[in-house]
């Protein structure tokens, strides 16, 4: 089955799609990546999204408009990905959509909202579409995050070599973790009893991006190549205030997002003090690096496999390597997937599992009572026609050329 996975991340600057062929082979799910496709979110739509996200107020009218316009955008991107990457051969689209709110109170996730109406995607592509990939886990007591734990367990933590004699082969004494550096940093590891645990560590690109936007009045969106952070000096007073955030001391499973880590959060931490943009970026970069290094030490991680937009920030990657000395840092590319495409391939995988009646969550990672078949289905140009339900839950993932 050829599947298109599609999402817009917490930076909401682009819609990313990945195309892969999936098949089941005993206890393995076999993935053949075909490639990725990306389009920028139009500036006007991006500005409206920013204005609607917490802590800003919004209206139901604007939520409706955004849901429709994002659905149209995702549909157009999925259709072009099908044409340009899949050669028109895709069978399924899986859209995570755009998260606008993740409702967490008292350490429990109570709800989540992703926009990008599924019917527009199905109409644009003519393909069966899976959406709403998080809610079912929440109904079972989970955080519905990080869903990357499913791919991480199957590919990174499973120890299955990719290729057969390649870099994925486990070595004695290796304790591997999988890190994603998106807007939020999340990690997946095994605890000392061998259970998979995963959680959002804290901010990665989310705070850095907002700081750059503020400093440049929107002329720049990110600290390209970590250049500002490299020029700046860490403000120790601010760093100490940021590290005092109570979220960091919560036990996993836990999840967070821009509901907490937004532009006003940084302004409040500054407490009215003036700080240069480069020094602020150096401090926010140090915060993320410290949080990641602390997680590596806490879980005795000796090998960290990294993906996400943060891998393009050499200043951040250097500080993680320095602060987590003794932990080998590797890109997920070593395991057959591109670092920039991991999340899009993740959602393609989750949709593939869903239409085969297979669970797409790791309960010990999300905190749910039991695993869940994820998502809601929207028909394409034809009536829904699902494959026969699979009877064996995959235990690992094999990536093939």
């Amino acid at each position: 089955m050829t599947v298109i996975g599609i999402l817009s991340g917490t930076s909401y600057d682009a819609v990313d799609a990945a195309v892969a062929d999936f098949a089941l082979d005993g206890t393995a799910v076999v993935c053949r990546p075909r490639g990725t496709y990306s389009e920028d979110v139009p500036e006007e739509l991006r500005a409206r999204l920013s204005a609607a996200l917490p802590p800003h107020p919004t209206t139901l009218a604007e939520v409706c408009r955004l849901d429709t316009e994002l659905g149209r955008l995702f549909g157009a991107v999925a259709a072009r990905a099908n044409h340009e990457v899949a050669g028109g051969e895709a069978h399924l689209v899986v859209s995570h959509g755009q998260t606008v709110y993740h409702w967490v109170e008292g350490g429990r996730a109570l709800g989540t909202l992703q926009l990008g109406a599924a019917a527009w995607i199905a109409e644009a592509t003519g393909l069966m579409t899976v959406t709403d990939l998080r809610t079912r886990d929440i109904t079972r007591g989970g955080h519905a995050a990080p869903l990357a734990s499913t791919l991480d367990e199957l590919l990174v933590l499973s120890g299955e070599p990719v290729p057969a004699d390649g870099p994925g082969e486990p070595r004695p004494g290796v304790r591997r973790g999988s890190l994603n550096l998106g807007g939020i940093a999340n990690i997946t590891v095994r605890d000392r009893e061998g259970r998979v645990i995963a959680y959002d560590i804290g901010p990665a690109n989310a705070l850095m991006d907002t700081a750059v936007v503020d400093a440049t009045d929107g002329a720049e969106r990110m600290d390209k190549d970590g250049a500002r952070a490299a020029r700046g000096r860490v403000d120790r007073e601010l760093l100490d205030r940021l590290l005092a955030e109570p979220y960091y001391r919560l036990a996993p499973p836990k999840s967070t997002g821009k509901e907490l880590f937004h532009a006003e959060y940084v302004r409040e931490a500054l407490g009215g003090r003036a700080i240069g943009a480069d020094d602020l970026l150096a401090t926010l970069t140090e915060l993320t690096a410290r949080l990641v290094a602390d997680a590596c030490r806490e879980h005795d991680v000796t090998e960290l496999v990294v993906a996400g937009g943060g891998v393009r920030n050499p200043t951040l990657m250097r500080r993680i390597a320095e602060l987590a000395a003794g932990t080998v840092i590797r890109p997920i590319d070593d395991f057959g997937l591109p670092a920039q495409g991991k999340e899009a391939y993740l959602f393609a995988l989750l949709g593939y599992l869903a239409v085969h009646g297979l669970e797409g969550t790791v309960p010990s990672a999300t905190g749910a009572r039991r695993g869940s078949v994820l998502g809601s289905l929207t028909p394409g140009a034809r009536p829904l026609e699902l494959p026969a339900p699979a009877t064996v839950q995959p235990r690992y993932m094999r990536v093939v050329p």
Side-chain angles (χ1 to χ4, degrees):
M1 177 179 281
T2 301
V3 185
I4 302 170
I6 189 169
L7 80 151
S8 175
T10 50
S11 58
Y12 48 89
D13 57 351
V15 179
D16 298 321
V19 180
D21 298 330
F22 288 98
L24 294 169
D25 181 14
T27 59
V29 57
V30 181
C31 171
R32 182 171 74 89
R34 286 202 180 194
T36 58
Y37 179 85
S38 182
E39 288 189 15
D40 289 344
V41 175
E43 187 56 42
E44 185 271 342
L45 179 56
R46 188 175 187 276
R48 287 173 48 210
L49 260 174
S50 179
L53 293 176
H56 306 118
T58 190
T59 65
L60 287 176
E62 182 64 356
V63 171
C64 179
R65 294 186 188 104
L66 289 171
D67 191 38
T68 297
E69 292 178 35
L70 287 166
R72 289 172 172 165
L73 176 60
F74 292 144
V77 172
R80 284 190 278 271
N82 187 25
H83 175 72
E84 297 189 20
V85 183
E89 298 176 347
H91 304 97
L92 176 70
V93 177
V94 189
S95 175
H96 174 257
Q98 175 65 60
T99 297
V100 292
Y101 195 73
H102 192 63
W103 180 18
V104 179
E105 286 185 12
R108 290 187 58 206
L110 303 176
T112 190
L113 181 61
Q114 286 77 40
L115 299 185
W120 290 102
I121 303 171
E123 185 69 17
T125 62
L127 300 175
M128 178 170 59
T129 301
V130 178
T131 54
D132 190 21
L133 290 153
R134 295 189 185 271
T135 303
R136 193 59 179 272
D137 185 73
I138 290 177
T139 70
R140 296 182 173 181
H143 277 258
L147 292 180
S149 56
T150 301
L151 186 150
D152 290 338
E153 181 190 35
L154 294 174
L155 180 63
V156 179
L157 305 188
S158 68
E160 284 297 319
V162 183
D165 59 350
E169 191 169 1
R171 298 184 302 279
V174 170
R175 287 184 58 82
R176 187 178 290 156
S178 185
L179 174 72
N180 193 71
L181 291 169
I184 301 297
N186 59 65
I187 194 168
T188 306
V189 296
R190 291 191 186 275
D191 66 14
R192 289 166 181 80
E193 286 71 48
R195 295 175 304 171
V196 175
I197 58 172
Y199 58 95
D200 289 337
I201 296 173
N205 299 322
L207 293 185
M208 300 178 209
D209 291 350
T210 59
V212 171
V213 170
D214 275 1
T216 65
D217 292 325
E220 299 175 28
R221 294 182 181 178
M222 67 185 72
D223 184 11
K224 186 174 176 59
D225 297 326
R228 287 183 175 272
R231 291 194 301 263
R233 299 183 64 180
V234 173
D235 184 305
R236 294 295 169 184
E237 179 182 346
L238 175 59
L239 180 61
D240 288 344
R241 293 192 68 175
L242 293 169
L243 287 169
E245 167 58 50
Y247 175 80
Y248 305 140
R249 278 162 283 288
L250 296 176
K254 59 181 179 178
S255 59
T256 189
K258 283 193 170 180
E259 299 77 28
L260 175 59
F261 297 113
H262 47 72
E264 192 59 35
Y265 178 90
V266 177
R267 297 187 193 110
E268 291 175 0
L270 283 167
R273 287 198 307 123
I275 180 174
D278 291 354
D279 291 348
L280 178 56
L281 266 297
T283 305
L284 295 175
T285 300
E286 186 75 4
L287 170 68
T288 298
R290 280 278 299 270
L291 295 173
V292 170
D294 288 348
C296 288
R297 281 190 291 273
E298 181 178 354
H299 302 294
D300 299 322
V301 173
T302 60
E303 186 174 275
L304 187 65
V305 179
V306 187
V311 301
R312 294 179 295 182
N313 184 330
T315 306
L316 174 61
M317 296 305 298
R318 184 182 69 252
R319 285 303 289 152
I320 290 174
E322 290 169 351
L323 293 172
T327 299
V328 176
I329 311 294
R330 300 174 60 189
I332 199 168
D333 306 65
D334 287 354
F335 294 76
L337 295 181
Q340 301 303 315
K342 177 189 175 181
E343 286 192 294
Y345 282 113
L346 161 68
F347 291 115
L349 168 67
L350 296 180
Y352 176 78
L353 295 175
V355 298
H356 286 81
L358 296 168
E359 294 177 1
T361 58
V362 183
S364 62
T366 67
R369 292 182 294 275
R370 60 188 186 276
S372 298
V373 178
L374 301 176
S376 301
L377 286 168
T378 301
R382 300 178 180 179
L384 282 175
E385 186 176 349
L386 296 174
T391 58
V392 178
Q393 187 72 29
R395 291 193 294 107
Y396 63 93
M397 179 172 168
R398 188 166 68 243
V399 179
V400 299

